Amino acid sequence: ASGYYRVVKENRNLYNMVQDLKGNIRVYCRIRPSFSPETKNIIDFIGEDGTLVILDPLKPQKEGKKVFQFNRVFGPTATQDEVFKDTQPLIRSVMDGYNVCIFAYGQTGSGKTHTMSGPPGGSMKDRGINYLALNYLFQLSNKRKDMINYDIHVQMVEIYNEQLEIRSCTSDNGFCLPDATMRTVKSTTEVLNLMKFGEVNRAVSSTAINNRSSRSHSVLTVHVHGEDTSGNILRSCLHLVDLAGSERVDKSEVTGDRLKEAQYINKSLSCLGDVIMALAQKNSHIPYRNSKLTLLLQDSLGGHAKTLMFAHVSPEEDSFGETVSTLKFAQRVSTVELGVARLNRESRDVMQLKEQIESLKKALAKKE
Ligand code: ADP
Ligand code: MG
């Protein structure tokens, strides 16, 4: 068995290398632990190679098997560190000048926030990708400081009912969002404080299942600017996205604000799917403008960026319907092949000229 695992492992490393070259979309599935041992568990098999088999609780064993294939499947016992380990190469490539987008998809209660932020309350134990990624970025920045001088800016944004709300930033030199502001951060502690502030600002009760956080998209954006000793400049950004719950809301049961929210969520999640599919089909028109979410992620969702989607599922049988629909969506995304990821690295002269063009364009737009 150990020989088999070694081969699988080596294949996976090779696979990651090829993926790096192609810069296409990766899809990881994560299954959270079951919280009710008395209910049936629908997980049948998790393969080292990214295979996942689930069982339809209403069908006899054999007929009820559904097989899915992802780049990787994390079972209920997978730790935050294990999950991060497979994400780390992507984070590293941000420091090399690639744009990266990581998003957590799945129904409410499936573990999206756990993966991205960690458990509620913000204890240091089990911190999620947001923290681990930033920590790693600072480590790399420190390690390379004799060769490259990095500047790291962070932005926290919430999209609720197609409205962008800036959650925790002070005014600096926002250049990604129309009115956005950014904050330069020098250490993980500063980021932690920023995140806490953002979370408080998000003003949600973590107990109610239908709280606002499950109905809004939360985006943590990291802008990296680096300059090496010979004047080459790299500029890249990393989006870390905790999406709104993907569950379908029974329209006959909700009215008013809840209905409006459900419609906005449907719209933005399906726009995300449309954008990914349009990229896959290499359409000339990519419908980024159809939702705030895709507009915000535009620079890191193109063929030149690297994208990682975490598809979250609950293992309990009463989630079967939503689990299947999450896995189907994720499977569709994972078959997408994007182009070659592009390095955003140029000489200082070219970068300065480009910046000049941009500011002239802005000045012109103001005049008109
Ligand atoms: P979502 O953000 O998708 O609505 P949460 O991340 O809030 O879901 O997860 C729901 C509950 O399950 C939370 O109490 C969370 O701490 C817990 N949980 C989720 N994933 C895990 C995991 N892998 N290990 C332990 N607890 C988890
Ligand atoms: Mg959540």
Side-chain angles (χ1 to χ4, degrees):
S2 66
Y4 167 75
Y5 281 121
R6 209 194 64 231
V7 171
V8 169
K9 220 173 191 167
E10 277 167 9
N11 276 343
R12 200 160 67 222
N13 286 342
L14 188 65
Y15 186 80
N16 277 341
M17 268 164 62
V18 174
Q19 293 262 309
D20 259 5
L21 288 173
K22 288 204 301 195
N24 62 3
I25 292 192
R26 264 145 275 210
V27 178
Y28 294 164
C29 175
R30 188 174 193 188
I31 302 148
R32 72 148 165 74
S34 172
F35 297 137
S36 48
E38 67 280 3
T39 45
K40 207 156 140 188
N41 195 309
I42 58 174
I43 308 302
D44 184 51
F45 175 77
I46 297 170
E48 277 274 312
D49 63 344
T51 312
L52 172 66
V53 184
I54 62 167
L55 289 172
D56 186 335
L58 296 177
K59 288 196 178 143
Q61 277 277 334
K62 258 194 188 143
E63 293 156 45
K65 284 191 187 200
K66 283 185 188 291
V67 184
F68 297 90
Q69 183 71 43
F70 302 106
N71 296 115
R72 185 101 167 73
V73 180
F74 295 99
T77 54
T79 64
Q80 300 284 73
D81 286 342
E82 276 163 16
V83 172
F84 183 66
K85 202 160 165 259
D86 276 26
T87 314
Q88 213 165 8
L90 220 56
I91 306 295
R92 174 187 284 268
S93 71
V94 175
M95 291 305 253
D96 299 332
Y98 290 96
N99 287 349
V100 172
C101 184
I102 299 178
F103 55 91
Y105 182 94
Q107 73 175 121
T108 298
S110 58
K112 296 182 296 298
T113 303
H114 184 85
T115 295
M116 302 311 290
S117 308
S123 83
M124 287 305 288
K125 198 177 160 281
D126 284 340
R127 282 253 154 218
I129 287 177
N130 290 355
Y131 173 83
L132 297 173
L134 273 152
N135 203 25
Y136 186 54
L137 292 183
F138 286 118
Q139 271 175 24
L140 285 177
S141 151
N142 216 11
K143 209 161 136 191
R144 296 178 182 179
K145 69 173 184 286
D146 293 335
M147 295 167 302
I148 306 178
N149 186 27
Y150 284 107
D151 264 326
I152 298 176
H153 299 254
V154 172
Q155 212 171 32
M156 260 179 100
V157 170
E158 186 187 17
I159 303 172
Y160 175 69
N161 284 1
E162 279 297 291
Q163 303 209 356
L164 267 179
E165 289 173 36
I166 314 301
R167 277 307 165 201
S168 63
C169 295
T170 53
S171 147
D172 202 273
N173 62 340
F175 61 87
C176 195
L177 295 167
D179 296 303
T181 44
M182 266 190 276
R183 177 177 279 198
T184 317
V185 280
K186 299 260 179 267
S187 69
T188 326
T189 323
E190 276 182 49
V191 173
L192 269 183
N193 289 337
L194 199 71
M195 283 180 189
K196 256 186 222 144
F197 187 66
E199 270 159 33
V200 172
N201 248 358
R202 213 174 169 193
V204 293
S205 105
S206 57
T207 44
I209 196 163
N210 279 326
N211 64 30
R212 172 158 163 171
S213 81
S214 65
R215 287 171 271 141
S216 65
H217 312 293
S218 163
V219 186
L220 175 68
T221 302
V222 186
H223 294 271
V224 174
H225 180 275
E227 185 168 348
D228 70 13
T229 41
S230 41
N232 294 312
I233 291 182
L234 68 82
R235 186 170 267 193
S236 54
C237 85
L238 165 67
H239 290 298
L240 298 157
V241 191
D242 186 346
L243 290 170
S246 60
E247 62 273 13
R248 279 150 306 176
V249 176
D250 186 350
K251 289 205 180 96
S252 61
E253 277 179 19
V254 295
T255 51
D257 286 351
R258 274 296 277 135
L259 181 61
K260 203 169 86 186
E261 280 170 351
Q263 286 165 341
Y264 278 126
I265 293 167
N266 271 343
K267 182 178 162 225
S268 60
L269 290 181
S270 68
C271 281
L272 183 62
D274 292 346
V275 163
I276 292 169
M277 292 310 138
L279 287 167
Q281 289 156 9
K282 303 195 166 49
N283 292 354
S284 57
H285 173 71
I286 312 292
Y288 291 114
R289 304 213 137 258
N290 287 354
S291 78
K292 283 282 189 323
L293 178 69
T294 46
L295 203 55
L296 180 69
L297 303 181
Q298 184 165 1
D299 51 356
S300 336
L301 264 187
H304 299 306
K306 301 183 181 188
T307 304
L308 168 62
M309 168 173 160
F310 278 95
H312 287 90
V313 296
S314 313
E316 293 95 0
E317 65 172 329
D318 48 3
S319 296
F320 182 75
E322 287 301 336
T323 293
V324 169
S325 98
T326 294
L327 293 174
K328 276 188 176 159
F329 180 80
Q331 187 81 85
R332 220 152 33 98
V333 169
S334 78
T335 55
V336 167
E337 270 193 31
L338 297 181
V340 179
R342 184 178 56 198
L343 267 177
N344 302 306
R345 201 147 52 175
E346 272 162 322
S347 76
R348 186 180 354 212
D349 300 345
V350 174
M351 195 67 94
Q352 274 170 358
L353 285 173
K354 277 191 173 167
E355 277 170 2
Q356 237 168 9
I357 293 173
E358 278 311 307
S359 66
L360 286 172
K361 269 189 191 162
K362 267 187 200 154
L364 199 64
K366 258 190 196 155
K367 274 210 171 130
E368 276 168 356

